[in-house]
Amino acid sequence: MLAFPYAAEQGAGPKRVVFLHGFGSCHEIWHAVISALMPGVRALAYDLPGHGHSLRSQGTGGAKPAARTILADLAARRLDKVHLVGHSMGGAVATLMALADPGRIASLTLLAPGGFGPEINGPLLRRYAAAAEKIEIRACLAAMSGPQGLTPDHVVDVLFEMRGRPGQVQSLIDIAAAMTRDDRQGIIPREQLRALDMPVMVVWGAQDPVLPVDQAEGLPAHFHRHHVLDAGHMLVEEAPDLIAEIVRRNTRRRRMRRQPVFGTAAS
């Protein structure tokens, strides 16, 4: 029987922050970021459907079903106002959640999010999906990082352990094949993004080899942007303290006030 995706909960503060990892990863990669945000934050770090403890959960098959499933899980938990932080595939999921249920989302922090342009490094992601040994996992992570990026040993250990679960590698291979078909990814239209009125921060590594940094161009004017020099795609691992500070700042911003439309009221 399929269930809701797994989420690890930490902290008990009034501010609720939900973390969504990228493709092929798991909730444990947020450890350094979440630790830097404590205390005062209630953190909920999900394993995306098809990953880790959520291998057999509802919502497996892409960003849209994952977004619907995680929104349903938040509703079941009675969490009616959360700050979303998403990396890569998790960024696409977070964006779709905000579009589907904007009243539930207090802010949106997107780290090299999927769905902001058609280009995607399909061969590298498919290689990463099939990586089952530590040496190959580390090599893929290095290829996705910036020139100075060093993957922590504990991240490699966690991902190696995750891939040891029966069916996990095949699940990742299937997701990667669908996500990178014809070496293109699905796009979230810019006109839809303009409707988001919560604080939105988009962070991108200037040396991203997976999703080109120019996908951060042409975004709505009210989006904040931050380019991380010398960083690649693996921002959570490459710059956890910086990411924690960016999340802290964005969760303090206020929702954009809609301007009234004049000339429509009866005189």
Side-chain angles (χ1 to χ4, degrees):
M1 180 179 178
L2 296 176
F4 281 137
Y6 171 84
E9 197 165 348
Q10 183 177 344
K15 188 175 291 184
R16 298 156 173 171
V17 186
V18 171
F19 295 87
L20 306 173
H21 62 76
F23 168 73
S25 193
C26 66
H27 74 277
E28 292 177 86
I29 59 101
W30 295 107
H31 175 75
V33 173
I34 292 173
S35 295
L37 290 171
M38 296 294 173
V41 167
R42 178 183 176 187
L44 203 63
Y46 279 89
D47 278 352
L48 291 182
H51 294 71
H53 296 293
S54 301
L55 179 58
R56 308 297 181 192
S57 79
Q58 301 175 32
T60 300
K64 286 184 178 179
R68 289 193 295 267
T69 294
I70 294 172
L71 280 172
D73 187 60
L74 293 177
R77 294 172 184 267
R78 301 183 185 277
L79 298 179
D80 57 358
K81 209 69 168 179
V82 300
H83 300 271
L84 280 183
V85 182
H87 172 238
S88 195
M89 179 183 178
V93 174
T95 304
L96 293 170
M97 289 171 64
L99 289 169
D101 195 356
R104 190 181 299 275
I105 311 306
S107 73
L108 198 55
T109 304
L110 306 173
L111 315 176
F116 278 37
E119 300 84 7
I120 190 169
N121 191 335
L124 179 52
L125 287 177
R126 291 190 292 271
R127 176 188 169 192
Y128 181 48
E133 301 300 328
K134 286 187 178 182
I135 189 170
E136 180 63 2
I137 293 169
R138 187 182 297 276
C140 289
L141 293 174
M144 291 189 283
S145 301
Q148 308 301 320
L150 294 175
T151 303
D153 288 340
H154 77 272
V155 171
V156 176
D157 292 342
V158 161
L159 297 181
F160 172 70
E161 180 181 354
M162 183 187 87
R163 282 162 166 76
R165 298 173 184 273
Q168 178 63 89
V169 171
Q170 188 59 53
S171 174
L172 296 179
I173 289 172
D174 292 344
I175 294 171
M179 185 170 61
T180 66
R181 187 175 291 114
D182 299 323
D183 290 333
R184 287 290 185 267
Q185 64 171 337
I187 301 173
I188 302 171
R190 288 292 200 262
E191 57 268 24
Q192 292 185 22
L193 298 179
R194 283 193 286 271
L196 297 175
D197 63 354
M198 72 285 294
V200 181
M201 169 65 80
V202 178
V203 186
W204 226 292
Q207 307 296 323
D208 193 324
V210 178
L211 299 174
V213 65
D214 61 12
Q215 292 182 2
E217 303 301 323
L219 295 175
H222 65 281
F223 280 34
H224 295 265
R225 291 184 298 165
H226 187 109
H227 289 174
V228 185
L229 298 179
D230 296 325
H233 188 67
M234 308 307 289
L235 293 167
V236 181
E237 293 87 351
E238 294 181 74
D241 291 338
L242 173 63
I243 297 306
E245 181 56 31
I246 288 172
V247 171
R248 185 179 292 110
R249 292 203 309 263
N250 200 42
T251 58
R252 290 173 178 166
R253 293 191 172 102
R254 295 185 177 181
R255 186 176 292 266
M256 184 176 64
R257 291 185 177 181
R258 292 290 185 185
Q259 295 297 319
V261 178
F262 296 101
T264 59
S267 57

